[in-house]
Amino acid sequence: MKRRAILAAALCLVFALSLAACNGGSAPGGTPAGGGDAGGGDAAWTNGGVVPDREYILVGWAAPMSGPQSIFMMPTQWVVDMMLDHINNNLGGIEINGRRIPLRVVFADNESNPTTAMAAAERLVTNDRVDILLGTWTPVGTNTASAVAERHQIPTFVFGAPEESWLDGGPYEWAVGMNFNYYNLVRDLVNIWTRVDTNGRVGLVLDTTVDGTVGRDTVTGILDELGGFEVVDPGAFDAATPDFTGIISRLRDEDVQIIYADMNTPNASRFWSQLAEFDFIPRVVTINRGLHYAADVGRLEPNAVGLTYSALWDRNYPFSSSLLGESAYGIAARWEDDHGEHYPYSLGYDVALFDILYDVLTRAGTLERNAVMEAFLTTNIDTVFGNVTVNENRNMRVPALGTQWIEGDRWPLQKSIVSADTFPFVDTNLPIVIPQTTQ
Amino acid sequence: MTHKHVLSSAYKLIGIKSGVIVAAIIALALLPLYGSAHAINVGILVFSYLALGQMWNLLAGYSGLVSLGHQAFIGIGAYTLAVVTVSYGGGFFMSFLISIVIAVLFSLVISFPIFKLSGVYFTIGTWIVSESVLMFFRNWRFVNFDAGMNITRAFRIPQENLYLGALALGIVSVALVYFILRSKMGLSLMAMRDNPAAAEVRGVHLYKTKLICFLIASTFITITGVLLYMNIAFVMPGPAFGIDWAVSMVFIVVIGGIGTIEGPIIGAAIYVFLRQFLFNFPGMSLIILGSIAVIVILVAPKGIMGAIHGKFGFELFSVRRKMED
């Protein structure tokens, strides 16, 4: 009987003590891996909360390290290693409260899932007690991190989502974004269509995801404004169970000469090959979202030359990293030399992140949360996206330009910016290549 | 040992157990006063998952209704919260009330076809229902299709409030299952699970018993869904109605010990602590979690609580009726 009572007591108390003991304690990670600072149990989550007493700045990054969005993380480790080495070794750290201390980054995998993303961001804030929280890629990463930012009143920087989707959760007090504007993105794609001789019939192939939903409203609005286009919309398809045969038949019957599709990579590959099977490749085929990475596009059959999409960053941007003093082209070239493949566009975001972080922390000169937030809001720094400042919506709007895949010199395919109306700083007089069309 | 002595010992044990449980509840309720922010955050997850596990255990462990579709109710709770608070500017209390009404109505509607199935067909049927609801929400403009909804009103809920809500939910779920199982209905459920035909012959009304159990579990899971998404604050159809929730519930119950009230308590704690620990292994977490589940099932097929009970005869919440001498 005594043994039972002891077991009962142990069961309950172990549980209570386990919770009480959740104060972190693992070693901090300079590179991906979880962990936290050794620290007491003070609940440092209030405005200007207790700054952990440690000899480094800790940035917590809730990122899609697994799941369908993990493709965005392709260059991240490379950039983090390069930037931390530069900041901590070449520059001797960042000056905080009068002395230079190193910057460290700790990651938590959000598994491309909002449920896990929230838990990952919460863990970084409450267990690792990071000084700045990062949440990246698609609303799953940006919106959940922003919610954590508001709840815990911690300076948070998010990037890689449509500005409109991110702002849907605003207004924010503790989150600052570096996001593209979806209207501008579509506007530059439409600009490509106006430069190709077509009958103006635009077929929409959009799924039910955020991009498809926002994309439909945006593209039809822009085409209405411009006039001269006729939209053929077979309706949204489910991204998980796509069947394009009915959609393609409809587009072919309606004599569509411009296709605007927005879908993930597997669906893009399937859709493109089915277009060829139907012997129906219009003069303009724009497939957004699924064609960002050369490794994916290189596998498309038939050849993807002439396919248009929106680039969220390009090495041809005539800008440099203020931290590295190196051009966008140079950084991308270095990535390609190191990895033997075409650079990923998310490289630009990761590099710009450290330009901004270094600038913000240097100007703040402290880890006090209000001061860091104030420094974020007064950002005015040159990055590989050009000069970035924070607008009234707390977003550093970055460009998304009309691009197409063409035959490359170093790699089988390379990107070519052909429309930059919304950010007119790149040469876009390049000719538009028409796909191996059947029209 | 005399009859009087046995009863006296039993009362003493019950007294100790009750004391320990009350002490533990008080300690847990006071956690916001002495625990760290992370402890509170983990507590929210543990008690929410405990409520989910307890309800799934009531269905599968005690009633034989092995469902892989109850994530539909989590999604319903999540979207009720989003729509009530974001689209109509309502409050959280209103969200809970409306979610209960919707859960009951939806349970009643699907129970007619789903109860015609049994065994593995019932399991598959519930999954199909859940996937159908997912498809519906993905294609529903009112909830912004697959784009998701920001539950902005939940952004600034203090963690302590969420914790106390989750704790209450966890405790109520345990108490609810305990009292159901101690009641005549509990006997009916277990009889139905073990041999439906024999139970029916002995006077158990199968359909009614199943329906009540199904209604209770579904409603409670819906309420838990509301609370979970008050914490998550951003809802998308895929994750809200995703099979991941069902996998979590199965993991919690199977690891902890199916058919025991203590099982989901242990399972939920292990599951949440493991998930927290596995943030240290990005990209590997699901593989490690799956491997652990396989190992535990091989070593202790009845789960941790089943193994403890087998070895020590220990139960914290006994639902067995003991015959008096």
Side-chain angles (χ1 to χ4, degrees):
Chain A
M1 188 168 64
K2 271 186 183 171
R3 193 173 61 181
R4 289 181 179 190
I6 291 165
L7 272 171
L11 191 68
C12 295
L13 290 177
V14 162
F15 184 53
L17 290 173
S18 305
L19 282 177
C22 286
N23 288 336
S26 51
T31 53
D37 64 298
D42 52 328
W45 59 13
T46 51
N47 190 3
V50 180
V51 176
D53 180 24
R54 55 188 169 212
E55 295 297 311
Y56 52 88
I57 305 158
L58 190 59
V59 172
W61 193 337
M65 306 180 82
S66 60
Q69 293 157 17
S70 56
I71 186 83
F72 296 122
M73 301 297 288
M74 193 194 284
T76 302
Q77 184 65 68
W78 186 80
V79 174
V80 168
D81 289 346
M82 174 177 68
M83 288 300 195
L84 291 186
D85 179 58
H86 182 67
I87 292 170
N88 297 334
N89 297 330
N90 298 346
L91 303 176
I94 299 174
E95 190 167 315
I96 299 293
N97 298 328
R99 61 199 174 101
R100 297 193 85 83
I101 56 174
L103 175 69
R104 294 189 183 178
V105 178
V106 59
F107 282 85
D109 183 12
N110 76 19
E111 296 176 4
S112 309
N113 179 324
T115 310
T116 316
M118 195 71 185
E122 292 264 15
R123 180 187 159 85
L124 288 170
V125 175
T126 60
N127 184 55
D128 299 297
R129 297 166 68 222
V130 298
D131 300 304
I132 294 176
L133 176 67
L134 306 177
T136 56
W137 301 117
T138 80
V140 169
T142 58
N143 294 26
T144 49
S146 300
V148 171
E150 299 304 315
R151 183 170 294 156
H152 293 281
Q153 302 181 346
I154 181 168
T156 299
F157 187 63
V158 301
F159 65 77
E163 182 185 62
E164 294 89 336
S165 299
W166 179 62
L167 290 177
D168 185 48
Y172 300 107
E173 286 180 30
W174 290 91
V176 174
M178 182 174 68
N179 299 302
F180 57 90
N181 179 276
Y182 204 84
Y183 178 90
N184 286 351
L185 180 152
V186 178
R187 186 70 190 74
D188 266 317
L189 291 175
V190 172
N191 189 45
I192 298 175
W193 309 345
T194 61
R195 289 171 56 194
V196 181
D197 184 25
T198 66
N199 62 5
R201 283 173 173 264
V202 181
L204 303 185
V205 187
L206 303 170
D207 61 24
T208 57
T209 64
V210 58
D211 300 86
T213 309
V214 179
R216 170 175 286 98
D217 293 343
T218 311
V219 78
T220 49
I222 291 171
L223 293 179
D224 282 349
E225 281 173 25
L226 288 176
F229 288 96
E230 187 184 342
V231 173
V232 177
D233 184 3
F237 67 90
D238 184 71
T241 52
D243 176 14
F244 298 116
T245 51
I247 293 173
I248 295 173
S249 296
R250 168 94 187 272
L251 300 183
R252 188 176 60 180
D253 293 346
E254 299 265 1
D255 192 23
V256 159
Q257 291 194 348
I258 300 167
I259 285 181
Y260 176 58
D262 196 314
M263 53 184 69
N264 61 31
T265 304
N267 287 347
S269 175
R270 192 174 302 138
F271 177 62
W272 178 239
S273 59
Q274 284 190 6
L275 279 176
E277 284 166 19
F278 272 72
D279 200 22
F280 172 66
I281 295 185
R283 293 178 64 76
V284 177
V285 180
T286 299
I287 304 181
N288 216 11
R289 186 160 39 118
L291 299 184
H292 282 303
Y293 291 90
D296 298 325
V297 179
R299 284 194 286 268
L300 289 187
E301 194 63 44
N303 186 314
V305 168
L307 286 184
T308 47
Y309 73 105
S310 179
L312 300 181
W313 182 75
D314 194 279
R315 68 176 171 193
N316 290 311
Y317 285 9
F319 306 116
S320 297
S321 157
S322 60
L323 188 58
L324 296 173
E326 190 175 4
S327 69
Y329 199 94
I331 296 168
R334 214 143 51 85
W335 157 271
E336 292 186 342
D337 289 343
D338 282 3
H339 295 84
E341 60 180 315
H342 195 286
Y343 72 97
Y345 79 86
S346 42
L347 178 65
Y349 277 84
D350 290 347
V351 171
L353 161 70
F354 282 92
D355 283 337
I356 293 164
L357 271 184
Y358 184 80
D359 171 64
V360 164
L361 287 165
T362 302
R363 281 186 298 110
T366 170
L367 297 177
E368 198 275 323
R369 293 180 176 184
N370 282 311
V372 173
M373 213 47 224
E374 185 57 34
F376 262 121
L377 295 176
T378 51
T379 298
N380 186 342
I381 181 80
D382 290 334
T383 70
V384 286
F385 281 107
N387 183 265
V388 294
T389 54
V390 180
N391 65 18
E392 68 281 5
N393 292 323
R394 301 195 169 217
N395 187 41
M396 305 174 194
R397 186 181 287 178
V398 288
L401 307 182
T403 310
Q404 71 174 173
W405 289 101
I406 59 172
E407 283 180 2
D409 37 25
R410 183 170 183 186
W411 313 110
L413 292 170
Q414 69 179 38
K415 302 174 192 175
S416 166
I417 300 176
V418 286
S419 173
D421 265 18
T422 53
F423 275 84
F425 47 70
V426 220
D427 175 19
T428 55
N429 290 326
L430 297 165
I432 294 175
V433 178
I434 306 295
Q436 292 175 337
T437 177
T438 53
Q439 287 181 331
Chain B
M1 199 180 278
T2 64
H3 176 87
K4 202 174 172 182
H5 193 167
V6 170
L7 276 180
S8 160
S9 303
Y11 287 141
K12 202 171 168 186
L13 180 60
I14 289 167
I16 293 170
K17 279 185 181 178
S18 304
V20 168
I21 291 168
V22 170
I25 289 172
I26 291 170
L28 290 169
L30 295 177
L31 188 72
L33 298 179
Y34 64 87
S36 70
H38 183 56
I40 294 167
N41 182 35
V42 171
I44 294 169
L45 297 175
V46 169
F47 293 117
S48 302
Y49 279 99
L50 163 60
L52 294 180
Q54 207 60 259
M55 289 303 127
W56 196 81
N57 192 29
L58 178 66
L59 284 170
Y62 288 107
S63 315
L65 300 170
V66 182
S67 166
L68 283 181
H70 267 69
Q71 61 273 25
F73 292 94
I74 295 175
I76 286 170
Y79 269 99
T80 305
L81 172 70
V83 169
V84 169
T85 61
V86 178
S87 306
Y88 293 103
F92 297 122
F93 185 67
M94 183 66 75
S95 305
F96 279 112
L97 285 183
I98 294 176
S99 74
I100 289 169
V101 173
I102 294 173
V104 169
L105 291 176
F106 186 66
S107 299
L108 285 171
V109 168
I110 63 169
S111 64
F112 292 111
I114 213 81
F115 284 175
K116 292 187 189 303
L117 307 170
S118 62
V120 70
Y121 300 103
F122 174 84
T123 306
I124 295 169
T126 53
W127 190 3
I128 289 170
V129 168
S130 175
E131 288 296 306
S132 306
V133 179
L134 166 61
M135 297 294 274
F136 177 77
F137 271 77
R138 275 192 163 143
N139 291 282
W140 193 11
R141 177 175 279 276
F142 179 63
V143 296
N144 210 15
F145 297 112
D146 208 16
M149 296 175 77
N150 289 284
I151 308 169
T152 46
R153 200 164 179 152
F155 282 8
R156 291 172 184 83
I157 304 174
Q159 288 288 86
E160 299 95 321
N161 295 4
L162 285 173
Y163 172 79
L164 292 174
L167 177 65
L169 216 54
I171 292 170
V172 171
S173 72
V174 173
L176 187 66
V177 172
Y178 180 76
F179 287 115
I180 287 173
L181 296 177
R182 296 285 295 184
S183 70
K184 188 180 164 192
M185 191 192 156
L187 272 180
S188 303
L189 286 174
M190 286 182 271
M192 183 181 74
R193 174 196 63 189
D194 295 337
N195 192 330
E200 194 162 26
V201 169
R202 300 292 293 178
V204 175
H205 196 303
L206 291 187
Y207 189 91
K208 187 179 156 192
T209 311
K210 271 199 249 182
L211 182 61
I212 292 171
C213 176
F214 195 79
L215 279 174
I216 291 170
S218 305
T219 306
F220 214 87
I221 288 175
T222 306
I223 294 170
T224 311
V226 174
L227 190 103
L228 276 164
Y229 275 85
M230 282 167 70
N231 188 34
I232 297 169
F234 177 63
V235 57
M236 292 173 79
F241 294 95
I243 189 74
D244 287 1
W245 292 111
V247 172
S248 305
M249 290 187 260
V250 172
F251 181 94
I252 287 165
V253 173
V254 169
I255 294 293
I258 193 164
T260 65
I261 292 181
E262 300 89 340
I265 301 173
I266 295 171
I270 289 175
Y271 178 77
V272 172
F273 284 123
L274 259 179
R275 290 305 300 255
Q276 289 289 317
F277 173 70
L278 292 176
F279 277 123
N280 296 325
F281 302 93
M284 298 287 290
S285 62
L286 295 178
I287 296 171
I288 296 172
L289 205 65
S291 305
I292 290 169
V294 170
I295 291 166
V296 171
I297 290 167
L298 287 174
V299 174
K302 290 181 180 175
I304 293 169
M305 197 58 215
I308 290 174
H309 182 249
K311 194 158 186 179
F312 303 106
F314 171 73
E315 284 178 303
L316 191 59
F317 301 99
S318 177
V319 294
R320 287 175 177 78
R321 287 152 184 81
K322 290 178 179 138
M323 291 179 69
E324 291 180 7
D325 291 336

